[in-house]
Amino acid sequence: MEIGLLLVLGGVAGWLTTVAGLGGGVFLILALSLRMSPAEALALSSPALLVGNLHRWAVGRDDVDRRIAVPFALGALPGSALGGLVVVAMPTAVLQLLLVLTSALALARAVGWWLPRPPPAAALVPAGAAIGAMAATTGSAGLALGAILQSAGLTGATYVATAAATATAMHVGRLAAYGFGGLVTGETLVRAAVLALAILAGNLAGSRFRRGLSARTGARIELGVLFACVVLALVGMA
């Protein structure tokens, strides 16, 4: 894949995730899936998204809600590793179908057609495991993670920082599994490094843009991103 295209996609993904909290990773995976298999797209995006989330976590480390982040990460790490191992053996058609379904569910939630109930605090570890597996197989764990964080009352900088901290655990687990399954090669890491640099630039641009962003505008951006994700998923199925 061309370096220029990787830079554009990574920049957009970083900007979207910083502005909306979540969503850029799904967009990136779906866009990459138009040029390669979903499994390859997941493996290529994972190291770059890990770097992006580590950066957001480092910047907002004082805003992380550890009561939620710690137990969630304890479940997300092994859950994402298990899901990553499943991806290695999963048929391409099944992965593409999962991308369509999870993108559609995210859009349905955003417009209020489907309102998932978040788990109680005692269930954060198993919830993290389930969502980690979702992250490894579709990259769209933001659907459920967003519901948990929002239901806990997290907003603004706390929401973004806690999302980054929990997402970091998921990326570590699935990246280890992809590597074990042979999906991560030297060429993959080089391309991922390009994506990571672009994501970091997108993070910085998104941080500046987000300072003057109203809640209403942020919601509109989120809805537009989710609609675009559904379109990209359907194009990938065609």
Side-chain angles (χ1 to χ4, degrees), residues 29-151:
I29 292 166
L30 290 170
L32 290 173
S33 296
L34 299 180
R35 301 292 296 272
M36 58 185 67
S37 73
E40 291 173 326
L42 286 164
L44 174 58
S45 63
S46 188
L49 292 173
L50 172 59
V51 172
N53 279 289
L54 280 170
H55 176 254
R56 278 187 292 273
W57 181 14
V59 171
R61 59 186 178 277
D62 293 334
D63 296 312
V64 175
D65 189 326
R66 291 171 176 77
R67 297 172 303 158
I68 296 175
V70 172
F72 188 92
L74 289 175
L77 187 61
S80 59
L82 179 60
L85 293 175
V86 171
V87 164
V88 175
M90 189 176 291
T92 297
V94 176
L95 276 174
Q96 289 174 329
L97 179 59
L98 287 175
L99 289 173
V100 172
L101 291 176
T102 52
S103 298
L105 285 174
L107 181 59
R109 175 179 171 270
V111 299
W113 295 342
W114 176 57
L115 298 175
R117 293 184 178 181
L124 281 175
V125 173
I131 295 173
M134 183 190 302
T137 53
T138 67
S140 56
L143 165 67
L145 177 57
I148 291 175
L149 300 184
Q150 290 169 1
S151 67

